[in-house]
Amino acid sequence: MKTASLSHPIHSEFRAGRDAWHVLLWEMLLVMLRHPYLLVAAILPNVVAPALAPVQAWLTQEVLNEISTGDRHFLLRELLSYAPLAMGIFLGLALLQIAEKIANRMLDDRLLIDLQRIWFDRRGDGCVGEQVARSINDCENARKILDLFQKELWLVVVGLPAVVIWQLNLAPDLLPALFVATLIPFAAALLFGGIIQRYSHSLLRLVSGVGSAVARGDKADLYREQERLYIKRIRFELVKQASEAIASFAFWVGLVIVLVLSVTGLWSLLPMEMSAAEIGVFLVNLKLMAKPLSEVTKVYNKVREGWPAVTRVLRPAADQPGPDSGAAS
């Protein structure tokens, strides 16, 4: 048969995990493209917001400079004249946010339904309790990967170039320092990807083990699987929190490295003297650049976390549990 590769779970898992990752990703994207209007409604605000972020920072600085110049006083009626404009802007932003939330909910639910139907058609035979757990837990975790194409990805694709272009207009000589300072936390967060994927896979199997124990009416096995799932989830959360904490700490390490390289003359990334305005611009843009780069690491780690679920949903036969499946470490 042409589907012979699925008759060997270990071999299929190897192919799905390595050789065919692009095939699985394309299948997931096709599921998302079934709902183009909801997709556009969910994506559009996430494309506009990061593009405007640098402009907002500049505009805020300009307004503060104007207000703080000299001893100028403002009449209340002058401030009141700005009220309609401000109320209109904030009302528009609030309505946009509501529309985005509703579109995201509608799209998420449709994607979950689609993935459950795909899994149902491919599920094969197995324990009823485990299959119920897979239809809910695995499909929901696989769906979360598609969130990246609605939100985080656009912060990277749009946000990072916007900050770079803005910095080129303000102070292009500081751009190398920005890249060096943000590279350290970016690299540090990537180190946890493999660990996150292994823990995610173990959790999926343990949840299925709980469902299987319920279906069999095995109380002792249910309690055992629940305790193992509890411990594994705590460890998984520790790993994710450690990843975020180390990336945050590495941000300051990167800034210190830039200062040390500049002061010692090994690499003059920053001028020896900087005005308060230059320091302010550098720090503001450093934070702006760090955000899309941190989103890159979040995208990477979320893909690693959700990929076992994608494999189990789109290729159910590639990850069939054995007699000791609950012992996943």
Side-chain angles (χ1 to χ4, degrees), residues 44-192:
L44 190 59
N46 297 299
V47 175
V48 175
L52 296 179
V55 180
Q56 290 174 340
W58 170 81
L59 183 60
T60 302
Q61 182 183 11
E62 289 296 312
V63 171
L64 290 176
N65 287 340
E66 178 67 21
I67 294 176
S68 60
T69 301
D71 296 325
R72 182 181 175 186
H73 296 274
F74 292 87
L75 296 175
L76 289 180
R77 68 173 63 96
E78 293 180 9
L79 297 177
L80 189 61
S81 64
Y82 290 97
L85 177 60
M87 292 176 64
I89 291 174
F90 285 113
L91 179 61
L93 291 175
L95 293 176
L96 182 62
Q97 186 177 24
I98 292 173
E100 178 198 358
K101 296 293 184 183
I102 293 176
N104 280 334
R105 172 49 56 195
M106 294 172 65
L107 181 59
D108 288 347
D109 287 348
R110 293 309 312 179
L111 293 176
L112 178 61
I113 290 172
D114 289 343
L115 289 173
Q116 286 175 329
R117 291 173 178 175
I118 291 172
W119 171 86
F120 186 84
D121 291 337
R122 305 178 183 183
R123 72 192 189 285
D125 299 326
C127 172
V128 174
E130 181 193 345
Q131 290 200 343
V132 170
R134 278 194 164 198
S135 69
I136 299 174
N137 189 60
D138 288 22
C139 292
E140 174 62 20
N141 279 278
R143 180 202 61 76
K144 291 178 180 178
I145 276 191
L146 296 178
D147 285 345
L148 304 177
F149 296 93
Q150 304 171 34
K151 302 173 186 177
E152 288 90 341
L153 182 64
W154 300 105
L155 289 175
V156 177
V157 174
V158 179
L160 186 58
V163 174
V164 172
I165 293 172
W166 192 252
Q167 183 62 36
L168 286 174
N169 292 327
L170 290 179
D173 53 318
L174 297 181
L175 196 57
L178 291 173
F179 275 117
V180 172
T182 53
L183 185 62
I184 304 298
F186 172 69
L190 294 180
L191 299 177
F192 289 82

Side-chain angles (χ1 to χ4, degrees), residues 204-241:
L204 293 174
R205 289 197 161 193
L206 286 170
V207 170
S208 297
V210 170
S212 178
V214 171
R216 289 183 282 105
D218 190 335
K219 184 176 181 178
D221 192 30
L222 171 64
Y223 283 17
R224 181 170 57 253
E225 292 298 301
Q226 285 177 322
E227 291 300 323
R228 295 170 68 180
L229 178 61
Y230 170 77
I231 294 173
K232 184 67 69 174
R233 276 180 169 164
I234 297 300
R235 291 177 178 174
F236 188 33
E237 189 61 28
L238 285 173
V239 170
K240 292 197 292 185
Q241 293 300 322

Side-chain angles (χ1 to χ4, degrees), residues 26 28-37 39 107 111 146:
W26 179 244
M28 293 290 289
L29 291 177
L30 288 178
V31 172
M32 186 170 61
L33 292 174
R34 294 178 181 180
H35 312 284
Y37 298 112
L39 185 60
L107 181 59
L111 293 176
L146 296 178

Side-chain angles (χ1 to χ4, degrees), residues 239-318:
V239 170
K240 292 197 292 185
Q241 293 300 322
S243 172
E244 294 179 8
I246 289 177
S248 178
F249 174 75
F251 173 82
W252 297 106
V253 173
L255 183 57
V256 170
I257 289 176
V258 168
L259 293 175
V260 171
L261 291 174
S262 300
V263 171
T264 58
L266 296 176
W267 189 1
S268 299
L269 294 168
L270 295 174
M272 297 304 294
E273 294 185 5
M274 298 178 66
S275 66
E278 289 174 332
I279 294 175
V281 169
F282 175 75
L283 292 177
V284 168
N285 282 279
L286 181 61
K287 294 296 291 185
L288 288 174
M289 184 173 289
K291 184 175 181 179
L293 284 176
S294 68
E295 293 299 330
V296 173
T297 61
K298 288 181 181 179
V299 167
Y300 173 75
N301 287 336
K302 282 186 177 182
V303 169
R304 297 298 294 264
E305 180 179 351
W307 199 252
V310 172
T311 301
R312 285 164 61 90
V313 169
L314 299 182
R315 302 291 185 270

